[in-house]
Amino acid sequence: MTNYLPPTRELRVRFDTAQALTRLFYREQAVVLSCGGFTPHAPLLEHRSELARTAWESALAAEALRERVFELRYPTRFLAEQAEELAADSPDDLRRLINELRDDYAAYLEAADELADGPSIRIAEAALRDKERQQDALAAVELTDDDPARDPRYFASSFYWPDVLDPTYPYGEGVALQLRSAVSHLNEVWAVDTAGRILHDLSPELGWEFTRDAARWLYDESRHMLMGAERLARWGFEPGQIPLGGYIYEACAGQHALYRLGMLGYFETKNIGRKRERAQAFHDMGDATSEIDMEFDWADETLHAEYGRRWLRRLLEARGEDPESWPAVLERCEQLVRERVAQATPQDLERIRTCADALVAAAGYPSRPANV
Ligand SMILES: [Fe+2]
Ligand SMILES: [Fe+2]
């Protein structure tokens, strides 16, 4: 009988590793979809943004896990089917899913061998850090049945600036432009809610790559929303002075998610051409925060315009329609928005005009510095 040298390290075999990572992938994917579905139901903007960030972080982890599984299964790019339903149906359920993932990443790292499986270790370490952060960030998240939920601290008005209803109301210069821009950023809450909805509703149909893009989309829109909220807060305004609403989101009530995708892909990037010019105007005013926010926003929107084009075509294709028929979808989107605007009453216009005028007037007080 021949004698051989014995094994020297405790190692998990390659296909078991791929299987463990596959299970982690599906649970991260469930976190992403759950966060998307919950987003429009979280009244507090900071809870919406924590859900958005968690969706994005989990999508990054899932993407890395998926690629790693493909490496381990080389030459096949193969991901085993998932047998169980994993989506969370409440915030408690989501927190439980995140706790389990944290424990499983910790256990994975405990057992993993650096020499054999270093790339997976790197992924699991980053994901473990994210899970620990998410546990704290999501601890207080609560939802309502309203869709979209309203943040009760802000001045509720579906139409968040008078010019939406009255084209003669000036977009404004100077302080008025600074405020209009910050209020627009804050009111990208409609884009946050829309991105959450399409992420949740269209992912089963469009597959992982859409999920990944939509999670980034959701996170970006939540950052744009917070940019506005934070500039306004630092200028010293109270939320109750600031209009917040989502007429574009509301315009899609009862519509297929196709139209929500159309709204997000095109309406939200519509002003892309003005952003350079606005950034320059803020530069000239010495308002570096508004300027830099605008520039980063512009970079994100360029990406989003591409997401919109790609996924609208793919969705039409998946539904057996001509992918080049997307202009008809956008026309319908514009019509839906016109119909929502047509529902506004003279009182709605009066309310938002009073609110906006008061905001601009308040900014004129010497006690409020123009830039902090
Ligand atoms: Fe945006
Ligand atoms: Fe966008």
Side-chain angles (χ1 to χ4, degrees), residues 7-276:
T8 58
R9 284 155 40 231
E10 191 72 25
L11 286 168
R12 183 159 36 191
V13 303
R14 190 156 67 110
F15 286 116
D16 289 352
T17 301
Q19 215 164 37
L21 298 180
T22 299
R23 268 187 54 72
L24 289 164
F25 165 83
Y26 281 119
R27 283 181 296 160
E28 290 285 14
Q29 185 185 45
V31 170
V32 179
L33 266 59
S34 305
C35 286
F38 290 166
T39 298
H41 295 280
L44 302 186
L45 298 186
E46 56 271 30
H47 288 175
R48 277 180 167 98
S49 69
E50 290 300 352
L51 288 165
R53 181 167 170 181
T54 298
W56 172 66
E57 288 171 347
S58 288
L60 289 182
E63 171 74 4
L65 289 164
R66 182 172 176 268
E67 287 301 318
R68 181 69 182 141
V69 170
F70 292 157
E71 288 172 14
L72 292 169
R73 296 217 184 254
Y74 185 83
T76 54
R77 281 174 73 85
F78 166 74
L79 212 60
E81 293 278 326
Q82 135 197 248
E84 30 172 355
E85 180 52 61
L86 296 165
D89 52 24
S90 68
D92 278 339
D93 222 18
L94 175 64
R95 288 185 277 260
R96 184 191 43 73
L97 193 55
I98 286 171
N99 287 350
E100 282 174 14
L101 274 163
R102 183 212 47 201
D103 291 348
D104 289 353
Y105 283 121
Y108 188 93
L109 289 167
E110 193 75 16
D113 182 273
E114 175 88 45
L115 295 180
D117 197 21
S120 305
I121 290 177
R122 176 96 187 167
I123 296 165
E125 279 173 349
L128 175 60
R129 266 198 312 278
D130 288 344
K131 293 303 133 199
E132 283 167 349
R133 199 200 61 76
Q134 291 160 10
Q135 282 184 308
D136 292 340
L138 298 176
V141 167
E142 285 174 15
L143 306 181
T144 65
D145 288 336
D146 308 352
D147 179 9
R150 286 192 186 287
D151 190 321
R153 297 165 299 182
Y154 287 86
F155 179 84
S157 173
S158 289
F159 307 96
Y160 56 80
W161 206 250
D163 56 5
V164 178
L165 300 176
D166 174 9
T168 67
Y169 192 91
Y171 200 96
E173 291 171 13
V175 167
L177 178 62
Q178 289 175 293
L179 287 173
R180 174 68 173 88
S181 168
V183 168
S184 299
H185 264 151
L186 172 73
N187 276 275
E188 289 194 27
V189 65
W190 79 264
V192 177
D193 291 348
T194 303
R197 278 293 292 271
I198 61 169
L199 169 57
H200 179 268
D201 294 357
L202 293 176
S203 282
E205 201 171 344
L206 290 172
W208 170 251
E209 285 172 15
F210 171 77
T211 307
R212 180 198 61 200
D213 289 353
R216 168 67 194 269
W217 209 343
L218 170 60
Y219 175 56
D220 289 352
E221 302 305 357
S222 80
R223 289 186 299 107
H224 302 164
M225 172 185 78
L226 291 184
M227 285 173 178
E230 191 169 312
R231 293 210 298 282
L232 289 159
R234 295 226 175 167
W235 282 326
F237 295 103
E238 295 298 330
Q241 297 176 277
I242 305 167
L244 183 68
Y247 70 101
I248 303 179
Y249 184 86
E250 293 162 12
C252 281
Q255 301 292 322
H256 187 276
L258 169 70
Y259 298 103
R260 294 196 186 274
L261 175 60
M263 293 284 189
L264 190 58
Y266 293 85
F267 259 84
E268 213 259 340
T269 54
K270 217 169 63 168
N271 290 325
I272 216 165
R274 318 271 333 243
K275 288 192 172 169
R276 276 269 163 88

